[in-house]
Amino acid sequence: MKILILCTGNSCRSQMAHGFLQSFDDKQEVYSAGTQASGKLNQKAVEVMKEIGIDISHHTSDSIDMYLNDVWDYVITVCGGANESCPTFTGKVKNRLHIGFDDPSDAKGTEEYIHSEFIRVRDEIQKAFLDFYNTKIKEHE
């Protein structure tokens, strides 16, 4: 199964989803990219993933352009901006899904509050992508 996860910046939500899918089953080919890739990972996303034992620090923030000509079983958008841009994706895609999440990078307030927002979104991503994995991937193996 070859899966591409899209977000706008490819620094946070798509990276967490990428990390979770690979942790569920390392035989999956999972990639993530951004419609306007930032070129770097959000360090708070790396931190909250590490807290639960998933290391995404080696991931790269890549432009969607790298993947336009590939064949995909699933292309999944995780934020509104990427979902709106998704129709411009010209790759060969068997299934398109949108599973949206708030951007914890937008959180304002104390360090504790910001950290709690990253944890909240991380946990929502984990739940949604575990459900996706169990219903769309695992049952079709």
Side-chain angles (χ1 to χ4, degrees), residues 76-92:
I76 304 169
T77 53
V78 293
C79 63
N83 190 39
E84 291 158 19
S85 301
C86 198
T88 65
F89 187 86
T90 56
K92 296 173 186 74

Side-chain angles (χ1 to χ4, degrees), residues 3-15:
I3 303 164
L4 177 64
I5 304 165
L6 294 179
C7 198
T8 305
N10 190 223
S11 66
C12 189
R13 292 165 287 181
S14 53
Q15 295 289 350

Side-chain angles (χ1 to χ4, degrees), residues 81-117:
N83 190 39
E84 291 158 19
S85 301
C86 198
T88 65
F89 187 86
T90 56
K92 296 173 186 74
V93 181
K94 294 178 186 167
N95 301 282
R96 293 177 196 260
L97 295 174
H98 176 69
I99 308 172
F101 303 97
D102 293 337
D103 187 352
S105 303
D106 292 340
K108 304 277 187 261
T110 64
E111 279 300 312
E112 292 81 15
Y113 174 73
I114 293 168
H115 187 78
S116 74
E117 282 297 284

